Amino acid sequence: MYTLGIESTAHTIGCSVIKVDLQRVGNRSKCEILSDARAVYKAPTGSGIHPREASRHHCDKAPHILKKSLNDSGIKASELDLIAYSAGPGLGPCLRVGAVLARAIAAFYNKSLVPVNHALGHVELGIVLTNSIDPLVLLVSGGHTMILGFNNKKWRVFGETLDITLGQLLDQFGRAMGFASPCGSVIEQLANQSSKNYFPLPYIIKGNDVSLSGLLTAAKELGNGKNIELADVCYSLQETSFAILTEAVERALSFTNKKEVLIVGGVAANKRLGYMLREACRRLSSKAIICPIHYAGDNGTQIAWTGTIDHISTGNRIDVEKAATQQSWRLDTIEVTWR
Amino acid sequence: MNLWYQLDQGLGIQDLKANVEIHVHLELRFETKSELSAVMNSLIPDNIGCPEGLVVTMYDKHSCLIFDMICRKGIYVIMSTVDEILRHVIMAKQVLVDA
């Protein structure tokens, strides 16, 4: 079975073709990735993502990305069995670009169409790529900061941010310091170069939920202060925010007694976060698993894979004329019947 | 009152931000019926349930995809709407040609 996945929730327009062996779906089938093409909208330095500008970028790039994805896979559009698109959550104008792209191909070639929750896509792709069994999942990106565990047909939230996400924290701090977005890798590089001079910053954890907006304000004030090395501020910001999340994960791990922690989402690429989580897992006789970096951020493969298992397991499909998008769509509202 | 009437009266774009009913009619010609049908279907879900003050009607006639829009939310809203629709049409058409 060949599936085209289309991702366009925020800064990335991505198309991917995967092959799934139908015979193995009930028994942990493998996801064979035939292509993964993407283009990323870059906001002007100091600015965040502008939904309309990002959607214009996606409209301009989409034909080329789709063509590249099909060419790389060696599959013609007419040979596809299924088309999956990210239906939310995300930025409205960006979501609509991916949806139009998916609907047009589905309508023209008379293919089945499946809407996919973007966050669920991160989780499901991470699981299949790492061969995880029943992990506690830490989803950390620009759009999400959630700790998730699967129970009784749903991914349950065992902790989340009460305000901004970890990706937003890093990005907004970086932009305030004059970095180009996305800023996570620059902050990580600077933190690695610092003299490990730690400045105390607000450390807020409420129950198992975290709050990062006060930390952002304090870090920006510190970063704009005189006679302070920016590298030390980056180091302090990383240490504080990652310690908050690690504590929340440790609590969730103690509560759920899971034996694996899977880290997915764009911030999973941060090596310091991975190290801190690995140490926490080691203390609790658990294993930290990090999604392969290339697939940690937004991509069409996560949509293709999740759409495929949903379609095969439940027969889920949607008419083109009804294939809407949802800017707000919580992961814990989705019934997952294939797990 | 339509946009052209307002402009005829010598009013600037600032005056068109609100309190004016703007009508827009778009006709986009397609080479094949199948392309026209696919592009039209791909746009339907995004153009139903528009915010109050914006009405978008879409239909096909002969080989044309036709949009009739009425906007009471100011000129910037209708400009953005037309911009988005045209970009989506161009993208969808290009994709069908390439794929």
Side-chain angles (χ1 to χ4, degrees), chain A residues 52 55-56 58-60 62-64 66-67 70 77 93 96-101 103-105 107-109 320-325, chain B residues 32 34-39 41-46 48 76 79-80 83-84 87-99:
Chain A
R52 192 178 59 219
S55 72
R56 287 175 174 172
H58 294 353
C59 279
D60 291 343
H64 168 69
L66 175 66
K67 195 174 182 178
L70 291 171
R96 289 195 288 275
V97 174
V100 168
L101 184 60
R103 292 183 209 125
I105 302 164
F108 191 75
Y109 292 100
V320 169
E321 295 83 0
K322 295 176 183 169
T325 56
Chain B
T32 69
S34 54
E35 273 184 22
L36 165 59
S37 176
V39 172
N41 285 336
S42 74
L43 298 176
I44 287 173
D46 297 332
I48 52 177
Y76 294 121
M79 284 167 64
S80 294
D83 179 76
E84 182 170 310
R87 284 176 191 274
H88 286 178
V89 169
I90 291 166
M91 176 188 70
K93 198 170 182 305
Q94 183 66 45
V95 159
L96 297 182
V97 170
D98 288 351

Side-chain angles (χ1 to χ4, degrees), chain A residues 264-284:
Chain A
V264 297
V267 192
N270 189 297
K271 289 187 172 55
R272 178 61 181 161
L273 176 63
Y275 174 80
M276 290 171 81
L277 287 165
R278 268 196 299 275
E279 288 299 299
C281 288
R282 191 176 51 78
R283 287 193 291 273
L284 292 167

Side-chain angles (χ1 to χ4, degrees), chain A residues 1-3 17-21 30-34 305:
Chain A
M1 178 175 194
Y2 296 104
T3 303
V17 177
I18 65 165
K19 181 183 177 187
V20 176
D21 186 346
K30 289 294 175 194
C31 170
E32 188 179 341
I33 302 166
L34 302 181
W305 168 245

Side-chain angles (χ1 to χ4, degrees), chain B residues 59-74:
Chain B
Y59 56 96
D60 61 325
K61 191 174 180 182
H62 306 304
S63 57
C64 284
L65 176 56
I66 298 170
F67 292 89
D68 284 320
M69 292 173 247
I70 303 170
C71 179
R72 289 183 213 91
K73 294 173 74 72

